[in-house]
Amino acid sequence: VNYLSGGSSVNPNHKGLNLPVDMAFAFHSDAGTTDNDSIIGTLGICSVPNTAGKAVFENTVSRWASRDLTDIVMTQIVDDVRKLHAPEWTRRGLWNKSYSESRVPEVPTMLLELLSHQNFADMRYGLDPRFRFTVSRSIYKGMLKFLADNNQLKYVVQPLPVEGFSCKFIDKNKIELRWTAVSDPLEPTAQANRFVLYTRIDDGDFDNGILIDSNRAEVSVQPGKIYSFKVTAVNDGGQSFPSETLS
């Protein structure tokens, strides 16, 4: 991180690639077990003093910003997991301790211990792809809110993937595609306002997509070719993951 940011406005006194990195993040699965079926849960770690004992970054910003980042991301994870998956999910401590991953970078940094990979109750959720998606999205939302707050900007969370994607012939050489936008019950800003339709012909690549204002499209096709389609949702915050591919 320090080599990437060295020489930039955030880390002016080091040599490096002059990239003004906003923050850094370490993702861990803390080891540990319980004798019963209880969840060990989520721990957040920051390091306010750096290796030299300083409490400010090289650009004079307080290193307590790392604690803000850690609290925001950790709170987002625990709140979302409790609402969508496990009301009993444990929020562990928020530590200000000396770990190299959080102590050395000269930008706000969080070390996340999401769960215990050795504990059965944790891994019942940890192996579930729906849980993994929720946690990954929570981390993204926490980072987004931290950066927006630091820069005094309003944030918009990218939409969720569409659902109900369908494809049918409405004429001999014409196909109708339909889909439904998905609201995010956890994030009111994550409303889709447009969509991108991607098309692939035979075994070629998908095209760069066309922007669509509604949740349907009509596409003309030529006989003897295989057409494949996928759709993403779009708003001012970005683009969702793609739908399934229909051919």
Side-chain angles (χ1 to χ4, degrees):
V1 173
N2 290 342
Y3 177 65
L4 289 171
S5 63
S8 72
S9 58
V10 300
N11 192 8
N13 299 321
H14 286 76
K15 292 183 178 180
L17 298 182
N18 299 294
L19 301 175
V21 176
D22 289 306
M23 49 154 289
F25 180 78
F27 197 139
H28 290 198
S29 55
D30 190 20
T33 59
T34 57
D35 293 332
N36 52 33
D37 61 352
S38 61
I39 290 171
I40 289 178
T42 300
L43 169 69
I45 301 172
C46 63
S47 300
V48 173
N50 67 6
T51 304
K54 294 181 180 179
V56 293
F57 293 113
E58 289 293 327
N59 64 347
T60 72
V61 171
S62 170
R63 289 183 61 94
W64 284 100
S66 293
R67 191 201 183 280
D68 295 339
L69 169 65
T70 304
D71 192 15
I72 292 170
V73 173
M74 187 177 174
T75 299
Q76 189 76 61
I77 292 170
V78 173
D79 286 353
D80 291 354
V81 167
R82 286 175 175 173
K83 290 173 182 175
L84 295 182
H85 301 280
E88 74 278 18
W89 193 260
T90 304
R91 177 181 172 126
R92 298 170 63 191
L94 198 168
W95 291 355
N96 173 16
K97 294 189 177 182
S98 182
Y99 288 79
S100 62
E101 296 96 322
S102 52
R103 182 188 70 244
V104 174
E106 285 298 326
V107 297
T109 303
M110 174 187 184
L111 194 166
L112 171 69
E113 299 286 2
L114 174 65
L115 47 69
S116 175
H117 61 255
Q118 290 183 313
N119 194 55
F120 177 77
D122 293 58
M123 290 309 292
R124 283 195 306 124
Y125 295 101
L127 294 175
D128 186 333
R130 296 166 298 182
F131 175 89
R132 293 182 176 195
F133 180 88
T134 295
V135 167
S136 300
R137 187 169 170 84
S138 299
I139 294 168
Y140 147 68
K141 289 191 296 183
M143 291 177 176
L144 174 65
K145 292 174 182 180
F146 170 78
L147 294 174
D149 185 63
N150 270 3
N151 292 281
Q152 298 180 327
L153 298 171
K154 292 184 177 180
Y155 66 85
V156 176
V157 173
Q158 68 180 45
L160 290 169
V162 303
E163 63 182 11
F165 188 27
S166 66
C167 173
K168 68 177 182 179
F169 279 94
I170 56 174
D171 202 348
K172 183 178 180 181
N173 294 321
K174 185 170 287 187
I175 288 173
E176 181 187 57
L177 302 166
R178 286 184 177 271
W179 57 88
T180 303
V182 176
S183 296
D184 186 345
L186 303 179
E187 184 49 60
T189 70
Q191 296 295 323
N193 50 35
R194 289 171 296 174
F195 306 91
V196 179
L197 171 64
Y198 297 92
T199 303
R200 180 180 67 201
I201 301 176
D202 292 329
D203 59 354
D205 293 328
F206 277 97
D207 62 16
N208 291 326
I210 56 172
L211 197 61
I212 296 174
D213 291 329
S214 69
N215 65 338
R216 64 179 297 275
E218 293 183 5
V219 179
S220 297
V221 297
Q222 298 298 317
K225 293 183 179 295
I226 298 174
Y227 288 78
S228 300
F229 307 97
K230 61 183 179 180
V231 174
T232 61
V234 179
N235 64 14
D236 291 341
Q239 190 172 17
S240 74
F241 285 100
S243 67
E244 61 186 327
T245 298
L246 298 183
S247 299

